[in-house]
Amino acid sequence: MTTNLAIIVGKTFSGKTTMVNKIIKEMPKTYKVTTHTTRPMRPTEDLMAYWWENEDGLEKRLNSSQEILAMREYDTEFGKWTYWTEVEDLFPNADNIMILDLDGARDIYTKLQMNNEYHVEVYYLATSLDVIRERAVNSERGKTESPDETERRIQSDIEDFYDLDKALEANGIEYKGQLVKLSEQINYTGLVTRYG
């Protein structure tokens, strides 16, 4: 049996959560992977959006036998937030889907793709910057954080996705909110090796 994992990456406000919820509704045997974070829960978020942890919980997990597949820290206006994914978060021998940042997707793809027990694909939700900026202004999250923090995240994503965007643009990909299976469009392994 194989554990299948589809990883959705995309810029902030690109519509990743909406897309994943749509996929799960249409494919009810697909399991959404819940990842961990030390970030406080936003007022509009569901309790099950993440495994909500504090710094002590993070420290215990780092010192335990849990195998961490990917971890990322962000310095925000509210302090340091950590996000991570563990092997035990995946549903074994089933179809899994999750949202990650590009670095986390590269980490997991690199660690699991060569393991015959796993099949990993990375999909990019290609969304134009104009749409992202419009959603940032009109979304509930955009209304609860400062414009400076929103702009910081947008600029950070532009930088993080620069190489991927250039590679896809060279293949004629338009940014209309569609999912792009990276392994079919570019040499994702090569991109991981070069930039991961």
Side-chain angles (χ1 to χ4, degrees):
M1 295 290 288
T2 302
T3 300
N4 297 310
L5 176 60
I7 302 175
I8 311 297
V9 300
K11 298 180 181 79
T12 187
F13 298 109
S14 61
K16 299 182 295 293
T17 301
T18 301
M19 179 65 73
V20 166
N21 289 340
K22 179 182 177 185
I23 290 169
I24 289 172
K25 185 175 181 181
E26 293 175 358
M27 303 172 67
K29 292 188 178 179
T30 300
Y31 297 96
K32 182 179 178 184
V33 177
T34 303
T35 58
H36 305 255
T37 185
T38 59
R39 173 177 64 72
M41 186 170 28
R42 296 182 182 117
T44 57
E45 284 181 310
D46 185 280
L47 183 63
M48 296 307 297
Y50 289 94
W51 296 113
W52 305 99
E53 309 271 2
N54 56 31
E55 289 295 330
D56 290 339
L58 171 58
E59 189 67 27
K60 286 177 184 174
R61 288 186 175 276
L62 288 173
N63 293 327
S64 74
S65 61
Q66 305 294 327
E67 184 178 348
I68 293 180
L69 292 172
M71 179 177 283
R72 182 95 189 255
E73 293 180 344
Y74 295 91
D75 289 317
T76 75
E77 64 178 344
F78 306 106
K80 184 179 77 173
W81 293 343
T82 305
Y83 296 79
W84 71 95
T85 305
E86 301 172 6
V87 169
E88 291 187 358
D89 296 331
L90 303 179
F91 291 84
N93 305 317
D95 294 331
N96 294 260
I97 190 167
M98 68 187 308
I99 298 169
L100 282 179
D101 71 348
L102 194 53
D103 286 338
R106 286 171 176 158
D107 288 348
I108 290 179
Y109 186 89
T110 302
K111 287 178 181 176
L112 296 184
Q113 187 57 30
M114 299 307 292
N115 185 326
N116 290 335
E117 295 179 19
Y118 299 92
H119 178 78
V120 182
E121 291 289 352
V122 181
Y123 298 83
Y124 180 35
L125 183 53
T127 308
S128 73
L129 191 55
D130 289 341
V131 170
I132 285 170
R133 288 195 183 282
E134 180 181 340
R135 288 178 180 164
V137 170
N138 296 320
S139 73
E140 286 300 317
R141 183 173 38 149
K143 293 173 186 174
T144 59
E145 70 183 13
S146 73
D148 287 344
E149 174 62 14
T150 299
E151 186 60 26
R152 181 201 65 78
R153 291 195 293 117
I154 290 173
Q155 291 301 320
S156 178
D157 280 347
I158 290 171
E159 183 178 320
D160 288 348
F161 284 87
Y162 180 83
D163 295 316
L164 177 57
D165 285 339
K166 288 300 178 191
L168 292 176
E169 285 169 11
N171 284 4
I173 299 296
E174 294 184 43
Y175 294 89
K176 295 185 177 178
Q178 76 270 27
L179 279 177
V180 178
K181 186 176 181 180
L182 295 184
S183 61
E184 291 180 354
Q185 294 298 328
I186 59 172
N187 180 356
Y188 187 65
T189 305
L191 197 67
V192 169
T193 302
R194 185 174 174 189
Y195 300 108

